[in-house]
Amino acid sequence: LTGYRLLTDECGEVFYQQIVQYMQETLGSQGVQLLLNKMSDRERKTEEADLKAKQAETGGSIDRYDSEMNQASQKSRQAAQEAENRQQQEGQISTQPAPTQPQADNPISIIKRIMKMGILELVLPPGREISTRTVSKDTMVSGRQLQQGMEMPDGVTADSSYTSGVLFQQYLMNHLGNYTDPSKESLAYQMEYVFGGRDNDIDNLKSVASKLLFIREGVNFACLMADNVKRTEAQALAAAIASGFLVPPAAVVIESALLLCWAFAESVLDVRELFAGGKIPLVKTSADWQISLSNLSSLMEGLDSMRKNNEHGLSYEDYLQVLILPVSKEKKVMRAMDMIEDAIRKKGRANFYMDSCVVALEAFAEVKANRKKEFQVIRQYCYE
Protein backbone atom coordinates (compact mmCIF):
# COMPACT_ATOMS: atom_id res chain seq x y z
CA LEU A 1 0.00 0.00 0.00
CA THR A 2 1.39 3.38 -0.97
CA GLY A 3 -1.45 5.52 0.37
CA TYR A 4 -4.84 5.37 2.06
CA ARG A 5 -7.39 7.85 3.36
CA LEU A 6 -9.48 7.50 6.51
CA LEU A 7 -12.96 8.87 7.15
CA THR A 8 -11.67 11.21 9.87
CA ASP A 9 -8.68 12.62 7.95
CA GLU A 10 -8.31 16.40 7.61
CA CYS A 11 -10.52 17.03 10.68
CA GLY A 12 -13.32 14.96 9.18
CA GLU A 13 -13.26 16.66 5.76
CA VAL A 14 -13.78 13.29 4.03
CA PHE A 15 -16.81 12.54 6.21
CA TYR A 16 -18.14 16.06 5.62
CA GLN A 17 -17.85 15.89 1.82
CA GLN A 18 -19.48 12.46 1.63
CA ILE A 19 -22.52 13.86 3.42
CA VAL A 20 -22.64 16.98 1.23
CA GLN A 21 -22.47 14.85 -1.93
CA TYR A 22 -25.22 12.57 -0.65
CA MET A 23 -27.49 15.54 0.11
CA GLN A 24 -26.89 17.10 -3.32
CA GLU A 25 -27.89 13.86 -5.00
CA THR A 26 -30.89 13.37 -2.72
CA LEU A 27 -32.36 16.89 -2.91
CA GLY A 28 -31.45 17.83 -6.48
CA SER A 29 -30.63 21.37 -7.58
CA GLN A 30 -34.16 22.71 -6.99
CA GLY A 31 -34.39 21.22 -3.50
CA VAL A 32 -30.97 22.60 -2.60
CA GLN A 33 -31.98 26.10 -3.70
CA LEU A 34 -35.23 26.00 -1.71
CA LEU A 35 -33.32 24.93 1.40
CA LEU A 36 -30.74 27.69 0.92
CA ASN A 37 -33.39 30.39 0.51
CA LYS A 38 -35.20 29.29 3.66
CA MET A 39 -32.08 29.05 5.81
CA SER A 40 -30.46 32.29 4.63
CA ASP A 41 -33.65 34.25 5.39
CA ARG A 42 -33.94 32.75 8.87
CA GLU A 43 -30.24 33.26 9.55
CA ARG A 44 -30.40 36.94 8.55
CA LYS A 45 -33.39 37.61 10.81
CA THR A 46 -31.81 35.70 13.70
CA GLU A 47 -28.53 37.62 13.38
CA GLU A 48 -30.51 40.86 13.56
CA ALA A 49 -32.33 39.57 16.64
CA ASP A 50 -29.05 38.47 18.22
CA LEU A 51 -27.63 41.97 17.71
CA LYS A 52 -30.72 43.58 19.24
CA ALA A 53 -30.52 41.23 22.22
CA LYS A 54 -26.89 42.21 22.83
CA GLN A 55 -27.78 45.88 22.54
CA ALA A 56 -30.59 45.44 25.04
CA GLU A 57 -28.27 43.59 27.40
CA THR A 58 -25.43 46.13 27.19
CA GLY A 59 -27.92 48.94 27.76
CA GLY A 60 -27.80 47.98 31.42
CA SER A 61 -31.43 48.92 31.97
CA ILE A 62 -31.85 46.69 35.02
CA ASP A 63 -28.56 47.82 36.57
CA ARG A 64 -29.44 51.46 35.98
CA TYR A 65 -32.87 50.83 37.48
CA ASP A 66 -31.31 49.34 40.63
CA SER A 67 -28.97 52.29 40.93
CA GLU A 68 -31.77 54.85 40.51
CA MET A 69 -34.03 53.08 43.03
CA ASN A 70 -31.23 52.83 45.59
CA GLN A 71 -30.54 56.52 45.23
CA ALA A 72 -34.26 57.31 45.48
CA SER A 73 -34.57 55.21 48.62
CA GLN A 74 -31.61 56.96 50.20
CA LYS A 75 -32.96 60.39 49.28
CA SER A 76 -36.38 59.48 50.67
CA ARG A 77 -34.92 58.30 53.99
CA GLN A 78 -32.69 61.37 54.12
CA ALA A 79 -35.63 63.73 53.50
CA ALA A 80 -37.72 61.99 56.19
CA GLN A 81 -34.84 62.24 58.68
CA GLU A 82 -34.33 65.95 57.91
CA ALA A 83 -38.03 66.63 58.37
CA GLU A 84 -38.01 64.80 61.71
CA ASN A 85 -34.94 66.74 62.83
CA ARG A 86 -36.60 70.06 61.95
CA GLN A 87 -39.68 69.14 63.94
CA GLN A 88 -37.59 68.23 66.96
CA GLN A 89 -35.62 71.49 66.74
CA GLU A 90 -38.85 73.48 66.56
CA GLY A 91 -40.19 71.55 69.54
CA GLN A 92 -43.06 70.10 67.59
CA ILE A 93 -44.23 66.55 68.11
CA SER A 94 -46.16 65.16 65.19
CA THR A 95 -49.00 62.79 66.07
CA GLN A 96 -49.96 62.23 62.45
CA PRO A 97 -48.01 59.90 60.18
CA ALA A 98 -46.30 61.57 57.27
CA PRO A 99 -48.40 61.49 54.09
CA THR A 100 -47.34 58.76 51.71
CA GLN A 101 -47.62 58.69 47.96
CA PRO A 102 -49.72 55.77 46.65
CA GLN A 103 -47.37 53.45 44.79
CA ALA A 104 -48.23 51.75 41.48
CA ASP A 105 -47.79 48.00 41.08
CA ASN A 106 -44.13 47.49 40.20
CA PRO A 107 -43.47 44.11 38.47
CA ILE A 108 -39.74 44.74 37.99
CA SER A 109 -38.65 43.25 41.31
CA ILE A 110 -40.69 40.08 40.63
CA ILE A 111 -39.25 39.62 37.13
CA LYS A 112 -35.74 40.19 38.52
CA ARG A 113 -36.25 37.23 40.86
CA ILE A 114 -37.57 35.08 38.01
CA MET A 115 -34.51 35.95 35.90
CA LYS A 116 -32.33 34.25 38.52
CA MET A 117 -34.24 30.96 38.34
CA GLY A 118 -32.91 27.87 36.56
CA ILE A 119 -33.54 28.07 32.81
CA LEU A 120 -35.03 24.57 32.43
CA GLU A 121 -37.38 25.14 35.35
CA LEU A 122 -38.74 28.16 33.50
CA VAL A 123 -39.09 26.86 29.96
CA LEU A 124 -39.79 23.11 30.12
CA PRO A 125 -43.49 22.19 30.24
CA PRO A 126 -44.61 19.91 33.09
CA GLY A 127 -45.03 16.15 32.81
CA ARG A 128 -42.18 15.40 30.44
CA GLU A 129 -39.07 13.54 31.51
CA ILE A 130 -35.64 15.01 30.81
CA SER A 131 -32.89 12.71 29.61
CA THR A 132 -29.98 12.31 32.02
CA ARG A 133 -27.74 10.38 29.63
CA THR A 134 -24.01 11.07 29.53
CA VAL A 135 -21.11 10.11 27.27
CA SER A 136 -17.40 9.68 27.86
CA LYS A 137 -15.84 12.26 25.57
CA ASP A 138 -12.29 10.93 25.88
CA THR A 139 -13.34 7.77 24.01
CA MET A 140 -15.02 9.69 21.17
CA VAL A 141 -13.67 11.08 17.91
CA SER A 142 -13.24 14.62 19.28
CA GLY A 143 -11.56 13.47 22.48
CA ARG A 144 -9.04 10.78 21.49
CA GLN A 145 -5.86 10.62 19.41
CA LEU A 146 -7.03 9.67 15.92
CA GLN A 147 -5.29 7.39 13.46
CA GLN A 148 -4.02 9.14 10.34
CA GLY A 149 -4.04 7.85 6.79
CA MET A 150 -1.13 7.88 4.33
CA GLU A 151 -1.04 10.88 2.02
CA MET A 152 -2.30 10.23 -1.50
CA PRO A 153 -1.44 12.24 -4.65
CA ASP A 154 -4.92 13.72 -5.07
CA GLY A 155 -5.35 15.24 -1.61
CA VAL A 156 -8.65 16.43 -0.17
CA THR A 157 -9.49 20.11 -0.78
CA ALA A 158 -11.43 21.70 2.06
CA ASP A 159 -14.98 22.78 1.20
CA SER A 160 -16.03 25.91 3.11
CA SER A 161 -18.98 27.02 1.00
CA TYR A 162 -22.20 28.22 2.62
CA THR A 163 -24.23 25.76 0.52
CA SER A 164 -22.26 22.77 1.76
CA GLY A 165 -22.61 23.93 5.35
CA VAL A 166 -26.39 24.12 5.05
CA LEU A 167 -26.59 20.71 3.36
CA PHE A 168 -24.39 19.10 6.01
CA GLN A 169 -26.51 20.53 8.79
CA GLN A 170 -29.75 19.44 7.13
CA TYR A 171 -28.39 15.89 7.01
CA LEU A 172 -27.72 16.04 10.75
CA MET A 173 -31.25 17.32 11.42
CA ASN A 174 -32.63 14.42 9.39
CA HIS A 175 -30.63 11.74 11.17
CA LEU A 176 -29.77 12.87 14.71
CA GLY A 177 -32.12 13.14 17.68
CA ASN A 178 -33.18 16.28 19.55
CA TYR A 179 -35.45 17.25 22.44
CA THR A 180 -38.67 16.89 20.43
CA ASP A 181 -37.53 13.63 18.77
CA PRO A 182 -34.95 11.98 21.06
CA SER A 183 -32.47 9.39 19.89
CA LYS A 184 -32.54 5.88 21.32
CA GLU A 185 -28.76 5.52 20.94
CA SER A 186 -25.98 7.65 22.43
CA LEU A 187 -27.22 10.95 23.87
CA ALA A 188 -30.95 11.56 23.48
CA TYR A 189 -30.43 15.19 22.42
CA GLN A 190 -27.75 14.75 19.75
CA MET A 191 -28.38 18.01 17.90
CA GLU A 192 -28.18 19.88 21.19
CA TYR A 193 -24.77 18.20 21.64
CA VAL A 194 -23.71 19.52 18.22
CA PHE A 195 -24.59 22.99 19.53
CA GLY A 196 -23.30 22.77 23.10
CA GLY A 197 -20.62 20.06 23.03
CA ARG A 198 -21.20 19.04 26.69
CA ASP A 199 -20.97 15.40 27.79
CA ASN A 200 -24.55 15.17 29.05
CA ASP A 201 -28.06 15.87 27.78
CA ILE A 202 -29.08 18.25 30.57
CA ASP A 203 -26.22 20.72 30.05
CA ASN A 204 -26.66 20.67 26.27
CA LEU A 205 -30.38 21.34 26.68
CA LYS A 206 -29.60 24.22 29.04
CA SER A 207 -27.23 25.79 26.52
CA VAL A 208 -29.88 25.66 23.77
CA ALA A 209 -32.63 26.96 26.06
CA SER A 210 -30.46 29.88 27.23
CA LYS A 211 -29.57 30.86 23.67
CA LEU A 212 -33.20 30.57 22.55
CA LEU A 213 -34.31 32.81 25.42
CA PHE A 214 -31.58 35.32 24.55
CA ILE A 215 -32.60 35.43 20.87
CA ARG A 216 -36.31 35.71 21.63
CA GLU A 217 -35.65 38.49 24.14
CA GLY A 218 -33.87 40.53 21.46
CA VAL A 219 -36.70 40.06 18.97
CA ASN A 220 -39.39 40.86 21.53
CA PHE A 221 -37.57 43.92 22.86
CA ALA A 222 -37.35 45.27 19.29
CA CYS A 223 -41.07 44.58 18.80
CA LEU A 224 -41.91 46.52 21.97
CA MET A 225 -39.77 49.47 20.92
CA ALA A 226 -41.65 49.61 17.59
CA ASP A 227 -45.12 49.31 19.17
CA ASN A 228 -46.39 52.78 20.13
CA VAL A 229 -49.34 51.44 22.12
CA LYS A 230 -47.19 49.22 24.33
CA ARG A 231 -44.56 51.95 24.69
CA THR A 232 -47.28 54.33 25.93
CA GLU A 233 -48.43 51.74 28.50
CA ALA A 234 -44.87 51.31 29.75
CA GLN A 235 -44.34 55.09 29.94
CA ALA A 236 -47.51 55.56 31.99
CA LEU A 237 -46.61 52.81 34.45
CA ALA A 238 -43.02 54.08 34.70
CA ALA A 239 -44.26 57.58 35.50
CA ALA A 240 -46.56 56.20 38.20
CA ILE A 241 -43.75 54.14 39.75
CA ALA A 242 -41.38 57.12 39.65
CA SER A 243 -43.98 59.33 41.36
CA GLY A 244 -44.50 56.71 44.04
CA PHE A 245 -40.78 56.78 44.78
CA LEU A 246 -40.78 60.59 44.60
CA VAL A 247 -38.21 60.55 41.77
CA PRO A 248 -40.00 61.68 38.58
CA PRO A 249 -36.70 62.07 36.67
CA ALA A 250 -36.15 58.28 37.02
CA ALA A 251 -39.19 57.53 34.81
CA VAL A 252 -37.03 57.06 31.70
CA VAL A 253 -34.81 54.47 33.38
CA ILE A 254 -37.83 52.71 34.89
CA GLU A 255 -39.47 52.58 31.46
CA SER A 256 -36.40 50.90 29.95
CA ALA A 257 -36.34 48.34 32.77
CA LEU A 258 -40.07 47.67 32.30
CA LEU A 259 -39.64 47.07 28.57
CA LEU A 260 -36.74 44.69 29.22
CA CYS A 261 -38.76 42.79 31.82
CA TRP A 262 -41.74 42.66 29.48
CA ALA A 263 -39.59 41.28 26.65
CA PHE A 264 -38.08 38.70 29.02
CA ALA A 265 -41.49 37.51 30.23
CA GLU A 266 -42.78 37.19 26.67
CA SER A 267 -39.63 35.25 25.75
CA VAL A 268 -40.12 32.78 28.60
CA LEU A 269 -43.60 32.02 27.24
CA ASP A 270 -42.17 31.73 23.70
CA VAL A 271 -39.48 29.23 24.61
CA ARG A 272 -41.85 27.24 26.82
CA GLU A 273 -44.27 26.98 23.88
CA LEU A 274 -41.45 25.78 21.61
CA PHE A 275 -40.46 23.06 24.09
CA ALA A 276 -44.12 22.05 24.34
CA GLY A 277 -44.16 21.40 20.58
CA GLY A 278 -45.77 24.65 19.45
CA LYS A 279 -44.61 27.29 16.98
CA ILE A 280 -43.57 30.91 17.52
CA PRO A 281 -43.05 33.50 14.73
CA LEU A 282 -39.52 34.85 14.43
CA VAL A 283 -40.84 38.44 14.38
CA LYS A 284 -44.12 39.22 16.12
CA THR A 285 -46.98 41.61 15.56
CA SER A 286 -49.22 43.01 18.32
CA ALA A 287 -51.73 40.23 17.61
CA ASP A 288 -49.08 37.59 18.39
CA TRP A 289 -48.25 39.05 21.82
CA GLN A 290 -49.03 36.80 24.79
CA ILE A 291 -48.57 38.67 28.08
CA SER A 292 -49.90 42.10 29.00
CA LEU A 293 -48.00 44.62 31.09
CA SER A 294 -50.56 44.27 33.88
CA ASN A 295 -49.94 40.50 34.02
CA LEU A 296 -46.15 40.66 34.35
CA SER A 297 -46.31 40.03 38.10
CA SER A 298 -48.35 36.86 37.41
CA LEU A 299 -45.89 35.32 34.94
CA MET A 300 -45.17 32.20 37.04
CA GLU A 301 -48.90 31.51 37.50
CA GLY A 302 -49.54 31.84 33.76
CA LEU A 303 -46.62 29.92 32.27
CA ASP A 304 -48.97 27.45 30.59
CA SER A 305 -52.24 29.41 30.42
CA MET A 306 -50.83 32.57 28.77
CA ARG A 307 -48.64 31.02 26.04
CA LYS A 308 -50.16 30.22 22.67
CA ASN A 309 -49.22 28.38 19.50
CA ASN A 310 -48.92 30.15 16.14
CA GLU A 311 -49.16 27.79 13.17
CA HIS A 312 -47.40 30.33 10.95
CA GLY A 313 -44.35 30.42 13.19
CA LEU A 314 -41.22 28.30 13.51
CA SER A 315 -40.94 25.09 15.52
CA TYR A 316 -38.28 24.15 18.08
CA GLU A 317 -36.40 22.20 15.38
CA ASP A 318 -36.50 25.22 13.05
CA TYR A 319 -35.00 27.46 15.74
CA LEU A 320 -32.45 24.79 16.68
CA GLN A 321 -31.23 24.62 13.09
CA VAL A 322 -30.76 28.38 12.99
CA LEU A 323 -28.88 28.35 16.32
CA ILE A 324 -26.43 25.72 15.06
CA LEU A 325 -25.60 27.54 11.79
CA PRO A 326 -22.99 29.89 13.38
CA VAL A 327 -21.20 27.00 15.15
CA SER A 328 -17.80 26.49 13.49
CA LYS A 329 -17.53 23.83 10.81
CA GLU A 330 -14.82 21.93 12.70
CA LYS A 331 -16.93 21.69 15.87
CA LYS A 332 -20.01 20.58 13.95
CA VAL A 333 -18.12 17.92 12.03
CA MET A 334 -16.29 16.50 15.06
CA ARG A 335 -19.40 16.48 17.25
CA ALA A 336 -21.46 14.88 14.49
CA MET A 337 -18.85 12.12 14.18
CA ASP A 338 -18.98 11.68 17.96
CA MET A 339 -22.71 11.08 17.89
CA ILE A 340 -22.77 8.84 14.83
CA GLU A 341 -19.87 6.69 16.02
CA ASP A 342 -21.38 6.33 19.49
CA ALA A 343 -24.81 5.47 18.05
CA ILE A 344 -23.30 2.70 15.88
CA ARG A 345 -21.51 1.29 18.92
CA LYS A 346 -24.76 1.28 20.90
CA LYS A 347 -26.40 -0.69 18.08
CA GLY A 348 -24.11 -3.62 18.85
CA ARG A 349 -20.81 -2.81 17.14
CA ALA A 350 -18.87 -1.95 20.28
CA ASN A 351 -15.50 -1.82 18.51
CA PHE A 352 -16.52 0.53 15.70
CA TYR A 353 -14.09 3.41 15.16
CA MET A 354 -14.57 6.07 12.51
CA ASP A 355 -10.82 6.52 12.18
CA SER A 356 -10.55 2.85 11.14
CA CYS A 357 -12.87 3.39 8.16
CA VAL A 358 -10.83 3.37 4.92
CA VAL A 359 -12.48 5.43 2.18
CA ALA A 360 -9.69 5.35 -0.42
CA LEU A 361 -6.44 3.50 -1.00
CA GLU A 362 -3.59 3.27 -3.48
CA ALA A 363 -1.69 0.03 -4.10
CA PHE A 364 1.58 -0.64 -5.98
CA ALA A 365 2.56 -4.03 -7.37
CA GLU A 366 5.44 -5.53 -9.37
CA VAL A 367 4.21 -8.28 -11.62
CA LYS A 368 6.09 -11.10 -13.38
CA ALA A 369 4.22 -12.96 -16.10
CA ASN A 370 5.35 -16.27 -17.63
CA ARG A 371 8.86 -15.65 -16.29
CA LYS A 372 9.42 -13.30 -19.22
CA LYS A 373 7.50 -10.10 -18.72
CA GLU A 374 7.91 -7.76 -15.76
CA PHE A 375 5.83 -4.64 -15.19
CA GLN A 376 4.61 -2.35 -12.45
CA VAL A 377 1.01 -1.47 -11.61
CA ILE A 378 -0.43 1.37 -9.50
CA ARG A 379 -4.16 1.37 -8.77
CA GLN A 380 -6.40 3.65 -6.72
CA TYR A 381 -9.75 2.63 -5.28
CA CYS A 382 -12.17 4.92 -3.45
CA TYR A 383 -15.82 5.56 -2.69
CA GLU A 384 -17.19 7.99 -5.27
Side-chain angles (χ1 to χ4, degrees), residues 102-142:
Q103 292 195 4
D105 177 41
N106 184 2
I108 297 175
S109 56
I110 295 174
I111 297 298
K112 279 175 58 184
R113 288 197 298 271
I114 296 174
M115 286 177 173
K116 295 177 181 178
M117 291 175 60
I119 181 68
L120 295 185
E121 182 183 356
L122 273 179
V123 301
L124 291 187
R128 183 162 179 173
E129 289 187 12
I130 306 176
S131 169
T132 56
R133 292 185 207 168
T134 62
V135 290
S136 179
K137 291 193 70 174
D138 58 354
T139 66
M140 306 178 97
V141 176
S142 64

Side-chain angles (χ1 to χ4, degrees), residues 165-178:
V166 171
L167 291 174
F168 177 76
Q169 190 166 305
Q170 185 61 50
Y171 176 90
L172 300 186
M173 289 298 299
N174 293 347
H175 291 85
L176 298 184
N178 62 70

Side-chain angles (χ1 to χ4, degrees), residues 135-146 193 199 338 341 345 353:
V135 290
S136 179
K137 291 193 70 174
D138 58 354
T139 66
M140 306 178 97
V141 176
S142 64
R144 66 173 187 265
Q145 186 70 37
L146 298 177
Y193 172 80
D199 64 359
D338 284 347
E341 180 184 78
R345 289 178 182 175
Y353 290 89

Side-chain angles (χ1 to χ4, degrees), residues 64-100:
R64 288 179 61 199
Y65 166 83
D66 288 341
S67 175
E68 289 283 350
M69 291 302 102
N70 287 337
Q71 290 179 19
S73 179
Q74 290 174 6
K75 288 178 181 178
S76 179
R77 287 196 299 268
Q78 185 179 353
Q81 185 64 48
E82 289 174 353
E84 185 178 341
N85 291 340
R86 282 197 302 271
Q87 288 176 350
Q88 290 176 351
Q89 289 172 0
E90 295 170 1
Q92 297 176 353
I93 300 177
S94 174
T95 58
Q96 297 293 328
T100 57

Side-chain angles (χ1 to χ4, degrees), residues 238-257:
I241 294 171
S243 297
F245 278 97
L246 304 177
V247 279
V252 174
V253 174
I254 296 173
E255 180 194 344
S256 296

